[in-house]
């Protein structure tokens, strides 16, 4: 039996990140681009309000994209009381409080692969200081990488959404990202946050939907989400 992770996959649905990426593709690199990015705000706020699984959502610009800022996060997140608010960071490389986002997996993986990615679980020191996942997708303009569209999900919310499906499987199972980091698990030998070594999970995600088998394991890409289901062979 193959589990369904529909709520998680919906984060990447056209009504969320994919549509946001299409919108961001229209962002020009001249004529006050910061003002153009500001036009995304009503849509970002609406999408964040419509997806209770998501704690933050936005577009992260590649360095040098904007003529009037070295970097930019058009990022909105849900506060403790449910209010939607912008994330304000110091993005000036000349300042000691500079928040350099270009080394995080949620940014580098879409940039390097041209594909959707899941980063984490990790402690999100940039936005929330909570243990979570970031789901991201590359954004291009005229074939050039210009940034990522992304969404944050608290790990506690993600686990509540996917563990019932994993628990219905006949054997212990886990969900891992392209780097092999465990995002959810019912296998006590593979705890959340740990790394799974061995198979090339990136190749599994890029391969056929039927997945592959290796070392007594079944590796199955999750439709609509760049995660791999790992469980014992039938």
């Amino acid at each position: 039996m193959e589990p369904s992770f529909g709520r998680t996959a919906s984060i990447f649905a056209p009504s969320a990140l994919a549509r946001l990426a299409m919108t961001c593709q229209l962002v020009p690199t001249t004529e006050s681009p910061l003002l153009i990015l500001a036009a995304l705000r009503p849509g970002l706020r609406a999408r964040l309000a419509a997806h209770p699984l998501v704690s933050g959502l936005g577009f992260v610009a590649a360095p040098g994209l904007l003529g009037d800022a070295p970097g930019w996060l058009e990022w909105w997140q849900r506060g403790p009381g449910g209010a939607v608010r912008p994330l304000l960071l110091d993005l000036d490389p000349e300042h000691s409080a500079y928040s350099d986002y270009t080394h995080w997996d949620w940014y580098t993986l879409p940039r390097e692969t041209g594909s959707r990615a899941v980063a984490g679980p990790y402690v999100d020191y940039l936005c929330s200081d909570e243990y979570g996942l970031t789901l991201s997708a590359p954004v291009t303009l005229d074939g050039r990488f210009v940034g990522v569209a992304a969404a944050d999900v608290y790990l506690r919310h993600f686990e509540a959404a996917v563990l019932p499906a994993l628990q219905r499987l006949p054997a212990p199972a886990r969900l891992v990202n392209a780097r092999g980091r465990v995002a959810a698990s019912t296998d006590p030998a593979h705890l959340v946050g740990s790394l799974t070594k061995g198979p090339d999970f990136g190749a599994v995600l890029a391969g056929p939907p039927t997945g592959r088998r290796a070392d007594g394991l079944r590796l199955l890409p999750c439709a609509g989400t760049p995660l791999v289901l790992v469980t014992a062979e039938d």
Side-chain angles (χ1 to χ4, degrees):
M1 179 177 65
E2 297 177 5
S4 172
F5 302 103
R7 286 186 65 199
T8 305
S10 70
I11 301 171
F12 281 113
S15 62
L17 279 185
R19 186 169 295 171
L20 172 62
M22 291 171 62
T23 303
C24 290
Q25 286 181 10
L26 303 178
V27 174
T29 55
T30 59
E31 299 181 4
S32 302
L34 288 182
L35 296 179
I36 302 298
L37 286 174
L40 294 174
R41 291 171 185 170
L44 290 173
R45 291 169 61 95
R47 291 182 179 96
L48 183 55
H51 290 268
L53 192 62
V54 176
S55 60
L57 181 71
F59 169 73
V60 184
L65 173 68
L66 309 178
D68 44 2
W72 191 259
L73 283 86
E74 188 57 50
W75 194 264
W76 292 79
Q77 56 190 22
R78 187 178 291 107
V84 175
R85 61 190 183 187
L87 174 68
L88 302 176
L89 297 173
D90 189 340
L91 299 174
D92 188 339
E94 301 299 321
H95 294 171
S96 60
Y98 170 52
S99 299
D100 182 7
Y101 51 77
T102 59
H103 67 282
W104 291 90
D105 275 356
W106 53 261
Y107 183 88
T108 60
L109 283 170
R111 181 188 63 191
E112 294 168 1
T113 66
S115 302
R116 296 170 174 176
V118 174
Y122 65 99
V123 178
D124 186 1
Y125 294 112
L126 196 63
C127 297
S128 65
D129 289 332
E130 283 228 25
Y131 210 40
L133 303 167
T134 299
L135 299 87
S136 55
V139 179
T140 59
L141 178 66
D142 297 328
R144 179 170 64 98
F145 174 81
V146 295
V148 301
D152 283 340
V153 179
Y154 293 144
L155 186 63
R156 51 190 166 89
H157 295 163
F158 179 80
E159 288 183 311
V162 303
L163 280 179
L166 292 179
Q167 289 167 343
R168 288 194 293 269
L169 294 174
R174 59 194 183 274
L175 292 172
V176 305
N177 66 14
R179 295 199 189 279
R181 191 165 298 279
V182 179
S185 176
T186 58
D187 187 345
H190 297 276
L191 301 179
V192 170
S194 63
L195 280 172
T196 296
K197 299 180 180 180
D200 184 343
F201 296 106
V204 175
L205 290 170
T210 53
R212 56 184 281 195
R213 298 173 189 271
D215 301 324
L217 297 173
R218 186 182 183 197
L219 312 173
L220 184 68
C222 299
T225 304
L227 291 169
V228 176
L229 172 68
V230 182
T231 188
E233 283 193 283
D234 299 334

